[in-house]
Amino acid sequence: FTYPADVMITSHWAVSMKRKLDEGKFGKQLTFLMVSFDYFSTLLNWLAHAKLHAESLMENLLVMCLDEKCEIILSKKGIVSFLVKPEDVVKQYVVSKRGYKSYDGIVTARLTVLRLLNYWGYDVLEMDIDATVMNDIQPILIHFKDSDIISSAVNSPDCAPRVTYDAWGFCLCMGVILIKSNPRTDQMWQLMGGSPATKVGCDQTRFNMFLMSLNLTWSTSDDKNFTQYRKGVSADNSITITALPENVVCRFHCDFSNPSSYYVCHPYIVKKEGDAKETQLSRKGVWMVNDTWMETLDTVQSTTEWLRDISV
């Protein structure tokens, strides 16, 4: 569903991204976000919460921009970003006559960039920008150090794909997922690229469907720190996955009377409501951005100064 790795690695966006990674002297683990200007205020909300609650996630932050405007703004604020046009990554990328870009194509491009970052040796914590950081999740990721993949689990029949929920009782969510760079995930990516299970759908559908093809065996465990986390092992022992419970990362069953009880609050946005993400996040009590944030976009300032100026 994407161009071959040897083609992508020489493309202008990949060369630019690799140069910025080298110049930035990033550590082993990256925090990876994606944004377009339509949702820029939601990115600001993520940044403000991360700065306040989990600054470790800001230390190796990389942002994939879908338009030049975002990249220009972030460069002024000292945040490493790079421009990617999904049509340069995804084969048969569709733009409708009304100009709407394919959501499946956009998130598939994100998945492909994640794969490339793994290829270059980085462990990648990918997060949706509406997955609001309430506490530092890094200790949990370290706790499950033996897992190749650590992901939030969604315990709802409304999760995608439904067939995964029917088989496992949950889906793995791409909104909060760590994929490590090692020989096992390298093999996974190679198999995934040619798997019939990954031919259609968004990144989450493709990823879950592929993992189902590995015939994972899941067990539920408790330890002194965490309850009801799930561990999945493929039939050939080639991959190990930890699925975090919803008391760590909430999705469909968030308790908004106490959102700070979670490590990440990732509320399901009811699309039929038709209003902006920030309005719905504000209703749920997890919004930190003031009404004057647009006035800060053209100034050159440090990330810390910027987030101080835009926060309520």
Side-chain angles (χ1 to χ4, degrees):
F1 55 88
T2 62
Y3 295 102
D6 58 348
V7 173
M8 287 191 295
I9 204 170
T10 60
S11 64
H12 62 89
W13 62 266
V15 171
S16 173
M17 179 173 66
K18 185 63 166 65
R19 183 182 68 252
K20 291 184 177 183
L21 286 168
D22 292 342
E23 292 173 351
K25 298 180 181 179
F26 282 82
K28 171 68 172 174
Q29 181 181 307
L30 303 176
T31 304
F32 177 51
L33 310 176
M34 179 181 73
V35 69
S36 68
F37 191 73
D38 290 341
Y39 299 102
F40 201 77
S41 61
T42 307
L43 171 67
L44 294 186
N45 190 59
W46 188 97
L47 293 171
H49 275 275
K51 183 68 176 177
L52 181 63
H53 301 300
E55 195 160 3
S56 63
L57 299 182
M58 300 284 290
E59 293 173 357
N60 292 288
L61 178 64
L62 182 69
V63 181
M64 171 179 162
C65 296
L66 298 174
D67 49 64
E68 293 180 0
K69 189 171 185 177
C70 287
E71 185 185 26
I72 291 170
I73 295 168
L74 292 176
S75 67
K76 292 179 180 178
K77 312 301 182 181
I79 295 175
V80 180
S81 62
F82 61 98
L83 176 66
V84 174
K85 295 180 179 179
E87 56 265 36
D88 293 337
V89 182
V90 182
K91 292 180 178 179
Q92 299 176 340
Y93 180 75
V94 176
V95 178
S96 73
K97 292 180 179 179
R98 296 179 64 186
Y100 297 135
K101 295 182 177 180
S102 160
Y103 172 78
D104 288 356
I106 290 172
V107 291
T108 300
R110 179 179 67 168
L111 185 68
T112 305
V113 172
L114 194 163
R115 176 187 181 184
L116 196 54
L117 291 169
N118 271 173
Y119 175 79
W120 283 329
Y122 295 101
D123 298 342
V124 182
L125 174 61
E126 176 184 278
M127 297 186 68
D128 286 351
I129 56 175
D130 59 355
T132 309
V133 179
M134 307 306 297
N135 290 283
D136 189 358
I137 198 172
Q138 194 63 32
I140 294 182
L141 304 180
I142 294 171
H143 182 80
F144 295 108
K145 59 182 182 297
D146 295 332
S147 294
D148 303 302
I149 299 169
I150 304 170
S151 174
S152 55
V154 180
N155 307 317
S156 170
D158 293 323
C159 70
R162 173 61 187 264
V163 66
T164 306
Y165 175 83
D166 291 340
W168 297 344
F170 63 95
C171 304
L172 296 178
C173 180
M174 300 302 290
V176 182
I177 186 168
L178 173 68
I179 303 181
K180 298 178 182 177
S181 175
N182 60 40
R184 294 179 296 279
T185 55
D186 182 59
Q187 180 186 34
M188 175 197 75
W189 285 120
Q190 292 183 45
L191 293 172
M192 186 176 173
S195 171
T198 65
K199 296 303 181 185
V200 295
C202 67
D203 56 346
Q204 185 167 304
T205 295
R206 294 176 191 267
F207 197 70
N208 278 271
M209 293 297 292
F210 170 73
L211 292 177
M212 282 190 65
S213 73
L214 299 182
N215 297 315
L216 293 162
T217 298
W218 290 97
S219 59
T220 302
S221 303
D222 296 339
D223 66 17
K224 63 180 181 180
N225 296 307
F226 307 104
T227 60
Q228 296 296 302
Y229 71 88
R230 299 176 176 91
K231 183 176 181 180
V233 180
S234 61
D236 59 359
N237 292 309
S238 63
I239 204 81
T240 300
I241 303 170
T242 292
L244 300 175
E246 287 214 33
N247 62 357
V248 175
V249 181
C250 71
R251 184 62 168 148
F252 281 87
H253 307 294
C254 299
D255 176 8
F256 293 109
S257 66
N258 188 21
S260 62
S261 65
Y262 304 104
Y263 285 84
V264 178
C265 188
H266 188 200
Y268 178 68
I269 302 298
V270 183
K271 296 178 181 178
K272 66 182 180 181
E273 289 184 5
D275 49 3
K277 280 181 182 280
E278 55 261 39
T279 302
Q280 296 187 49
L281 291 173
S282 179
R283 288 178 188 169
K284 300 177 190 304
V286 290
W287 190 254
M288 283 185 63
V289 181
N290 62 36
D291 294 334
T292 63
W293 66 269
M294 289 280 288
E295 299 171 11
T296 71
L297 299 185
D298 292 330
T299 59
V300 177
Q301 59 188 147
S302 70
T303 305
T304 299
E305 292 173 332
W306 183 37
L307 295 180
R308 180 197 62 211
D309 290 347
I310 62 93
S311 298
V312 294

